[in-house]
């Protein structure tokens, strides 16, 4: 069975790194760590994750709820 590919959307770099380390310790693959809402869709298309862990408050730009709806329209994750 292939490991689950997970994309992390988190605007705090330290938290994103901690999440990625935990994911990898559990045997999953952290395929992308994205910190800015403007970069989420492009990274989603190139990394092709199975699951997205999305922060809701991402600072300026779209919030995590808006971005999640956009990602779901691209691929059912």
């Amino acid at each position: 069975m292939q490991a689950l590919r997970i994309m992390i959307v988190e605007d705090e770099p330290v938290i994103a790194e901690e999440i990625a380390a935990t994911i990898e310790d559990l045997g999953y693959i952290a395929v992308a760590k994205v910190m800015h809402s403007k970069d989420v869709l492009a990274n989603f298309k190139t990394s092709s994750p199975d699951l997205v862990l999305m922060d809701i408050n991402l600072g300026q730009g779209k919030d995590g709820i808006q971005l999640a709806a956009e990602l779901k329209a691209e691929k059912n994750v």
Side-chain angles (χ1 to χ4, degrees):
M1 183 175 182
Q2 190 174 11
L4 193 65
R5 299 168 47 84
I6 302 173
M7 177 176 157
I8 301 163
V9 180
E10 170 59 59
D11 61 335
E12 295 290 334
V14 173
I15 295 172
E17 287 298 326
E18 287 182 26
I19 293 170
T22 301
I23 285 169
E24 290 169 355
D25 287 346
L26 293 170
Y28 304 113
I29 302 167
V31 293
K33 292 176 279 194
V34 184
M35 296 192 315
H36 303 287
S37 61
K38 63 181 175 60
D39 300 327
V40 171
L41 190 56
N43 276 279
F44 180 77
K45 289 179 180 179
T46 59
S47 64
S48 190
D50 300 309
L51 176 73
V52 178
L53 296 179
M54 179 79 69
D55 186 4
I56 292 177
N57 297 315
L58 295 169
Q60 294 186 351
K62 297 177 183 176
D63 65 25
I65 295 169
Q66 294 166 317
L67 291 169
E70 288 181 21
L71 298 183
K72 189 166 175 73
E74 288 288 321
K75 176 183 172 189
N76 192 20
V77 293

